[in-house]
Amino acid sequence: MLLASIYPMPSLQNPTRQRLIHTALELFASQGVTTTTTKQIAEAAGVNEVTLFRHFGSKHGLLLAVIEEAAVFTQLGQTLVQQANQTGNIYQALKDYATACLHALDRVPEVVRSVVGEAGQFPAENRAALGRGFTQANHYVAEYFQTVIDRGQLHSYLTAEKLASLLNGMLLGYAVIEFTSEFHELWQDREDFLENLVTLFLHGAVSPTSLLPPLTTPAIQKATNLTPAVEKVADLSTDLVHKILRQTKNLGLQDYALTYVLFGAGLSATEMTRLERSHYFHDAHQQYLQITGDRERQVPINQWILGKRYGSYLRNPLTQWLKSRKDNQTALFLNSQGQPLSEPELRQQWQLWTEGLLTPEGRSPAIEQAQQTWCVEMVMRGMSLEDLSILTGWDQASLQPFANRAREKAALEAALRLDQKGG
């Protein structure tokens, strides 16, 4: 493989020096630093060993040049900063960056193994160069985080530099584990790791709203085999929900259908994007969805959402959307290119639907709050936690906060009714 094409280096005035660095990188990548000899590098580069020593002094001097001039992570960091000006979707930007980092490390597995196992043998200047490389890469990632924080897209519990350090540390840790042992059972595959990494990162260290409870996303539930550990339920007000539904009705049939299902069936963003046309069943007396994945179950779609009826079983926002379809796609919801809607795209749509709307706490509504709102509404309308557990796939203990929140709302409504009766 030609690593020079993977890691473009700065133009060097001395072509012999450049050729030696390119050759060393290729050999270090294929067989490790310790195993590679200066004689092998010189022969592969078409020069004598004396020439190598004249330029770099030693193999570690050559390694120092490779570290400083290959600058792979710096380039990846610069790419992430550019993405900050091209997309408002931090989930996708972070996943793309993490994927690119691991893809780059895939090209140099022996270098990773050598750095892990042999760094203690490197001269201090080499270790210092590694440190400078990591620090510079971290700076660019931190710059990206600071950009989205300043735009108000994130509520951060840590500084931008600390956020970047955590992300890069986790990526490097993954590479070390993957390249040194294939016998672990820490994750199913790379996609599983990346999905959980970005989800945990966005819902642990940062989030679009500080109201999101910990461990509420499907990716984290899947990774930890936990049901949502909701400490504080953040359901949306009746007025706000109906405003969101009104806004989406004006945006188009699919937007209206999406919000109708979100608030009418209590699904997560991940479950929404997995829906197929064949998963929807309805007749004059009922309508429900077949949910696939880790928690297979059937879930009804309510006609009534927080006191207002949105159509009938035969004619409602979802049936109207499906009736308008002229495509052959099996997915229930599509993006602007007519392909199955992805979770990041759904989250972008949510931001559009809720633009200009704020919760009583002064924050933008989060898509996870639709599911919480549905759970509270079901309890308020008399559903037992046992039945709600069947519909959600969560254990009853994890649903207790929703019961507590329903009692709070019931008590408030009771107090208001008493006040309306007068003295």
Side-chain angles (χ1 to χ4, degrees), residues 35-88:
T35 306
T36 303
T37 66
T38 53
K39 183 178 180 180
Q40 288 176 321
I41 297 170
E43 289 179 350
V47 301
N48 59 50
E49 205 171 358
V50 174
T51 302
L52 184 152
F53 291 137
R54 185 169 65 247
H55 280 284
F56 304 103
S58 66
K59 183 172 72 173
H60 282 123
L62 178 54
L63 175 61
L64 177 62
V66 169
I67 293 170
E68 292 182 331
E69 296 178 25
V72 56
F73 287 109
T74 296
Q75 293 166 28
L76 287 169
Q78 290 171 333
T79 300
L80 183 60
V81 173
Q82 294 171 0
Q83 289 177 350
N85 298 319
Q86 298 171 0
T87 178

Side-chain angles (χ1 to χ4, degrees), residues 79-91 93 142-156 160 207-208 348 351 364:
T79 300
L80 183 60
V81 173
Q82 294 171 0
Q83 289 177 350
N85 298 319
Q86 298 171 0
T87 178
N89 190 328
I90 184 172
Y91 176 95
E143 185 179 334
Y144 170 75
F145 279 129
Q146 194 60 57
T147 298
V148 292
I149 289 171
D150 291 342
R151 286 179 180 173
Q153 296 181 20
L154 292 180
H155 171 82
S156 174
S207 70
Q348 281 187 310
Q351 292 179 2
S364 298

Side-chain angles (χ1 to χ4, degrees), residues 173-184:
Y174 169 90
V176 169
I177 293 172
E178 285 294 299
F179 295 156
T180 55
S181 173
E182 69 274 27
F183 300 106
H184 68 80

Side-chain angles (χ1 to χ4, degrees), residues 298-408:
Q298 293 179 339
V299 179
I301 307 176
N302 298 336
Q303 295 180 74
W304 292 85
I305 299 174
L306 294 175
K308 183 175 180 180
R309 187 173 182 177
Y310 288 85
S312 65
Y313 290 133
L314 294 178
R315 182 180 174 83
N316 55 63
L318 182 56
T319 58
Q320 292 300 99
W321 157 242
L322 290 173
K323 186 178 180 180
S324 73
R325 296 268 297 268
K326 306 300 181 185
D327 59 88
N328 295 319
Q329 281 284 358
T330 60
L332 192 59
F333 299 112
L334 309 174
N335 61 19
S336 57
Q337 288 76 45
Q339 298 301 310
L341 185 71
S342 68
E343 182 175 344
E345 289 168 335
L346 175 58
R347 290 180 178 277
Q348 281 187 310
Q349 287 296 103
W350 175 270
Q351 292 179 2
L352 175 65
W353 302 334
T354 58
E355 185 176 359
L357 300 179
L358 296 174
T359 66
E361 294 80 12
R363 300 184 177 91
S364 298
I367 194 169
E368 285 78 8
Q369 290 177 275
Q371 189 175 36
Q372 296 189 27
T373 302
W374 180 84
C375 287
V376 173
E377 183 185 13
M378 291 299 95
V379 178
M380 290 284 292
R381 290 169 66 175
M383 180 172 287
S384 68
L385 292 189
E386 182 179 3
D387 288 344
L388 189 58
S389 176
I390 294 172
L391 294 183
T392 60
W394 303 334
D395 62 66
Q396 293 185 47
S398 70
L399 293 171
Q400 189 57 51
F402 297 106
N404 296 341
R405 173 58 180 157
R407 283 196 293 271
E408 290 176 3

Side-chain angles (χ1 to χ4, degrees), residues 246-264:
R246 283 198 300 272
Q247 290 195 171
T248 56
K249 183 178 182 180
N250 295 329
L251 291 173
L253 291 174
Q254 177 173 256
D255 297 82
Y256 194 26
L258 278 163
T259 50
Y260 170 66
V261 175
L262 275 169
F263 287 109

Side-chain angles (χ1 to χ4, degrees), residues 215 217-218 220-229 295 393-395 398:
L215 298 176
T217 64
I220 298 176
Q221 294 165 26
K222 179 181 177 182
T224 58
N225 196 29
L226 292 174
T227 49
R295 295 175 295 167
W394 303 334
D395 62 66
S398 70

